[in-house]
Amino acid sequence: MVSTVRTEMEDGSRSTLAGQALSFLLHSLLALAIWMGLMLAGYAAHPVGVPQLLILLGSFAAPLIAGFLVARIHSSEMAGLVWLLGVIWFLIACIVVMDLPTGPNQCFHCEAVEKITRTFFSLPRPSGLADNDGPFLGTWPAAALVGYSLGAKLGFRRAE
């Protein structure tokens, strides 16, 4: 009797864990797909002189709205945890950038904080590291994941 109950509990937790992992993966992919759609729309429109801060805001706002709408239609607690992947994504990108070699026109004699701010936020100017794609590779997708998570958290309705 005890072994039967234990087996049922273990099977239930495995299916719940698998469902949560799948939900987390799908919400993460949806957030990144919305961000990629925004990037493709910007590439197709090819606007000139758009500030990176505006792109960062769009990368945050579009998934935020989508996350809110998705949470209103299909409430999932895992959608509110996608921000963790965004933070991990950004931290991994920071580690990669910190290991990049510097040189002339590539953040020569930069310290750690300057290397990060110039690479991912282009402040005061781009660092030259990672072919100046730091915002595209690290900042904007992380902002999309955090935005989606926040939108989902704001739109989440508990089952009653």
Side-chain angles (χ1 to χ4, degrees):
M1 169 99 178
V2 173
S3 64
T4 306
V5 172
R6 183 176 294 148
T7 305
E8 287 175 7
M9 286 175 52
E10 289 173 357
D11 289 343
S13 66
R14 279 190 208 130
S15 65
T16 303
L17 181 61
Q20 288 174 342
L22 181 63
S23 177
F24 184 83
L25 177 69
L26 292 175
H27 284 290
S28 299
L29 290 175
L30 180 60
L32 291 173
I34 292 164
W35 169 74
M36 189 55 71
L38 181 70
M39 293 294 110
L40 290 173
Y43 181 74
H46 199 356
V48 178
V50 176
Q52 285 190 2
L53 186 59
L54 188 61
I55 298 170
L56 178 62
L57 182 64
S59 294
F60 180 81
L64 182 131
I65 293 167
F68 182 84
L69 295 175
V70 167
R72 283 293 179 183
I73 295 167
H74 175 71
S75 292
S76 171
E77 289 185 28
M78 295 311 290
L81 299 175
V82 173
W83 68 271
L84 290 168
L85 182 60
V87 171
I88 291 168
W89 184 304
F90 186 72
L91 291 175
I92 289 171
C94 287
I95 289 170
V96 169
V97 165
M98 292 306 295
D99 285 339
L100 290 176
T102 61
N105 298 324
Q106 292 184 338
C107 210
F108 200 48
H109 298 298
C110 286
E111 297 204 13
V113 173
E114 186 180 8
K115 205 173 188 182
I116 296 297
T117 56
R118 286 183 57 193
T119 301
F120 293 114
F121 302 103
S122 299
L123 296 173
R125 61 188 183 282
S127 67
L129 297 171
D131 293 331
N132 288 331
D133 286 336
F136 182 77
L137 298 174
T139 312
W140 299 337
L145 289 163
V146 171
Y148 183 89
S149 180
L150 181 62
K153 201 69 167 166
L154 292 172
F156 181 72
R157 290 190 247 177
R158 293 209 179 271
E160 297 174 20

